[in-house]
Amino acid sequence: MNPLAVTVAGVAFPSPLVLASGVMGLSASSLKRVADAGAGAVTTKSCGLEERKGHPCPSILPFEHGLLNAVGLANPGVEEMAREIAEFQARSPIPVIASIFGRTEAEFGEAAARLLALVRPALLEINVSCPNVSSEFGQPFAADAAACARITSLVKARADGVPVAVKLSLMCPSIAQTAKACAAAGADAITAINSVGPGMLIDPHVRRPILANQVGGLSGGAILPLAVRAVWEIARAVPLPIIGTGGVTRPEDALQLILAGATAVGIGTGIYTCGLEVFGRINAFLTDWLAREGLRSLDALRGAAHHPPPAEARHG
Ligand code: SIN
């Protein structure tokens, strides 16, 4: 038996480590590289109805505490993404999570239907929380629990049985309440959190913001405590599997998210800072940890930091 195997919304992942949306998620080849490196599932870059070029460069800014990004949802559109997913599925057994977004609530349902007409991913991720497009789309839907619930219902109605994970952000009054609204609307899983902010960094020499978009979402090590807290609160609020995402670079970071209640752990910026080896390193650490503690699976660790632990099992 594989001690790292987990189940998210009925989908078996051979490892809890998931490629988060946004990094290496545009092509079958890059998804395959991440799967081969040890990811238990891979998430595509979020795609919408039409191709988008995204924001001009510089759109990604590494700094000592993480990364500021304002990619602006650059993507080839759902039809092209469906072709990449199909090619990946022909080359790898690792589950693929198709991430979709809409400029309007209705567009989420439309994007789901158009994608699923061409390909059947293991899960759909609804990205309601990109912090980098508010100048075009208005404030992220994630700020409004009722909007998240409506979008969840719209996508569920067109998901043809494919489980749906909603990707939330902390930029809302209460992430636990938003997760509850999504759960009531039929969400099968929650992904938390998206990048935080937006934030800004200024080049003192030229006295201007460095990102062409001026502001961008903050990711990387600096947001790990926010992600752990978000997963903790969601785990207490809803009996859904959580893909805990945000700031994971070290093995202990992944373990913290699991102890807070995550079933799976997303890694995105960690690839920038540590390379693809991050997946193998964390898998090896978790395997050793389980062996040392005499545990046969991650089940006993999931949510174990809660006192008392959450009542409901958070896998499956
Ligand atoms: C982006 O493309 O700007 C980032 C995507 C996201 O944070 O959802």
Side-chain angles (χ1 to χ4, degrees), residues 45-46 69-74 127 129-132 194-195:
K45 175 72 181 163
S46 300
N69 97 79
V71 172
L73 293 172
N127 182 0
S129 49
C130 175
N132 300 327
N194 208 321
S195 58

Side-chain angles (χ1 to χ4, degrees), residues 178-198:
T178 309
K180 264 189 184 172
C182 294
D188 301 288
I190 300 291
T191 303
I193 55 176
N194 208 321
S195 58
V196 175

Side-chain angles (χ1 to χ4, degrees), residues 100-135:
I100 56 169
F101 71 88
R103 288 172 304 180
T104 63
E105 292 180 18
E107 277 193 12
F108 280 88
E110 188 62 27
R114 274 172 49 181
L115 184 93
L116 292 171
L118 297 169
V119 75
R120 195 171 174 87
L123 280 112
L124 272 178
E125 175 187 275
I126 317 178
N127 182 0
V128 289
S129 49
C130 175
N132 300 327
V133 286
S134 48
S135 57

Side-chain angles (χ1 to χ4, degrees), residues 242-262:
I242 303 166
I243 304 175
T245 304
V248 172
T249 54
R250 302 168 314 149
E252 294 83 353
D253 304 339
L255 189 53
Q256 286 195 57
L257 288 167
I258 293 167
L259 292 169

